[in-house]
Amino acid sequence: MQAKTAKIQDVARIAGVSTATVSRALSNPDLVAESTRKAVMDAVEESGYRINHAARNLRRQRSGSILALVPNLANPFFSQILAGLSSVLSPAGYGLLIADTQTDNNPQERLRSYILNGLADGIVIFDGHLPEKQMLPPQHPPIVLACEWVDFDLPSVRVDNAKGAQIAIQHLYDNGHRRIGHITGPLGNVLADSRLNGMKNTLEQLGLAVRKEWIFNGDYSMDSGTFAAKQWLALDDRPTAVFCASDEMATGFMGALQHAGIDVPNDVSVVGFDNIEVVEHLTPALTTIRQPRRLIGQHAGQMVMNMIDDGVMSCASEIIPVELIERKSVVAPKT
């Protein structure tokens, strides 16, 4: 004999409250007293009641999903951010959809399609090149940018990239380095430009030269770090330290130099940016600027949910502090 499916009336009867109170406790728990909420949840467990999320979302004209648009899912940098994002969305009943913007020939049009098709109740974008103001429909779901930002009214959650560069350069300076190079991210990218400007400004404040031949163009990838190492090796007059705009580039840079017989850090010190998991296990372990990536995801998720719940499009942004993680890739330069 098939077991009877519990209904909301059964939960109300067991908890000793109205069905309206049960509904509020399940959909907006902050609106009911803690004792009532506990009684309802105990009744849900006792009765075996299961929320029909699809029906609830249909009534509310919502999809129950948040879409995350990531420029390169293969990049380990995004793993902790997406984990943080999921950690706040899942308890609130939202599913997380993830799409890689680099797999599409026309990501702008794909974003517009996502919006018009009502695929998600909110969107978190990790690619600052993606949202163009003229491509966004007048009525669009809440959009939050994570890590990157744009120059029009979309909120963002990011770290202070220029401050991170300043901390990195100051650390190298405090260890005796006066000849400092830099591997940039892709020029024109807001993160790369911010870190490059922070590096240049700090060198100038310290009275040090900004040497063009010591600035190597990269694209955040390990391969571009490897190419920068070849450029560094070709110099007659080399910097004694290099600040890399990403840990992946620092990993490629260090590996290529070590294959060429260069000792890191005794021949050249290296500082990265991001604190991805692998850099702690390099030889030497990489000194880097830590972005609290899980926290970025959590704050971005909370921001987009607040906009959904409030029905108000925010343009406020949040800047999260960074910190220096000292390991073994920086020593004083040879005299």
Side-chain angles (χ1 to χ4, degrees):
M1 181 177 177
Q2 187 175 4
K4 180 183 176 182
T5 302
K7 298 180 179 180
I8 194 170
Q9 289 85 355
D10 299 315
V11 178
R13 175 179 52 77
I14 295 170
V17 298
S18 68
T19 55
T21 298
V22 173
S23 180
R24 279 195 298 274
L26 294 176
S27 60
N28 291 290
D30 292 340
L31 299 181
V32 300
E34 183 177 351
S35 58
T36 303
R37 183 167 63 248
K38 184 179 185 304
V40 169
M41 296 312 297
D42 288 345
V44 166
E45 183 175 356
E46 180 180 340
S47 67
Y49 177 71
R50 294 292 179 265
I51 302 170
N52 188 334
H53 290 283
R56 186 184 69 178
N57 289 330
L58 183 61
R59 289 193 300 271
R60 298 164 70 190
Q61 294 187 316
R62 292 185 180 177
S63 69
S65 298
I66 302 297
L67 175 64
L69 297 176
V70 182
N72 179 9
L73 279 173
N75 189 337
F77 170 76
F78 295 111
S79 60
Q80 283 295 313
I81 300 181
L82 292 171
L85 187 58
S86 180
S87 74
V88 298
L89 296 181
S90 183
Y94 285 99
L96 177 60
L97 306 176
I98 303 172
D100 191 329
T101 62
Q102 287 191 352
T103 63
D104 201 303
N105 292 330
N106 192 343
Q108 294 287 346
E109 190 57 43
R110 178 59 63 89
L111 172 60
R112 185 176 176 84
S113 175
Y114 288 145
I115 292 171
L116 294 176
N117 289 337
L119 180 67
D121 299 324
I123 302 175
V124 179
I125 299 178
F126 295 86
D127 185 346
H129 291 295
L130 185 56
E132 293 183 357
K133 190 170 186 177
Q134 66 273 18
M135 291 293 291
L136 293 177
Q139 299 297 323
H140 59 76
I143 295 175
V144 173
L145 281 99
C147 303
E148 301 195 10
W149 61 97
V150 292
D151 58 1
F152 56 93
D153 294 337
L154 287 179
S156 66
V157 179
R158 62 186 191 265
V159 299
D160 190 336
N161 291 275
K163 181 66 176 179
Q166 177 191 346
I167 293 170
I169 300 305
Q170 186 67 53
H171 178 66
L172 291 170
Y173 183 89
D174 292 344
N175 277 272
H177 292 277
R178 301 296 182 265
R179 300 154 56 81
I180 301 172
H182 179 49
I183 307 177
T184 75
L187 299 182
N189 173 267
V190 289
L191 300 181
D193 291 350
S194 183
R195 293 171 194 176
L196 175 60
N197 290 335
M199 179 260 191
K200 287 181 175 179
N201 291 339
T202 306
L203 288 178
E204 290 172 356
Q205 291 167 7
L206 294 171
L208 303 180
V210 179
R211 301 263 301 260
K212 289 183 179 180
E213 65 271 26
W214 291 352
I215 296 179
F216 314 104
N217 292 337
D219 60 8
Y220 297 138
S221 71
M222 202 176 297
D223 285 344
S224 67
T226 299
F227 185 71
K230 294 176 181 177
Q231 293 176 294
W232 183 91
L233 287 165
L235 293 173
D236 294 326
D237 187 19
R238 299 167 176 166
T240 62
V242 174
F243 163 51
C244 306
S246 79
D247 286 346
E248 280 215 60
M249 292 193 298
T251 301
F253 182 73
M254 288 170 54
L257 291 183
Q258 289 167 335
H259 281 300
I262 300 297
D263 186 303
V264 179
N266 291 311
D267 293 328
V268 59
S269 290
V270 181
V271 176
F273 202 114
D274 291 334
N275 196 41
I276 60 176
E277 286 76 5
V278 69
V279 299
E280 186 177 0
H281 305 287
L282 299 177
T283 304
L286 180 67
T287 293
T288 189
I289 301 299
R290 174 181 176 266
Q291 294 199 61
R293 292 176 291 141
R294 190 176 183 88
L295 189 64
I296 292 171
Q298 290 172 337
H299 285 211
Q302 193 60 58
M303 185 179 288
V304 76
M305 287 194 300
N306 289 345
M307 292 166 66
I308 293 169
D309 292 340
D310 297 342
V312 176
M313 297 297 179
S314 170
C315 59
S317 292
E318 180 179 359
I319 298 179
I320 299 175
V322 295
E323 64 175 323
L324 177 73
I325 305 297
E326 292 188 52
R327 296 193 178 101
K328 301 294 185 180
S329 63
V330 174
V331 296
K334 294 178 178 178
T335 56

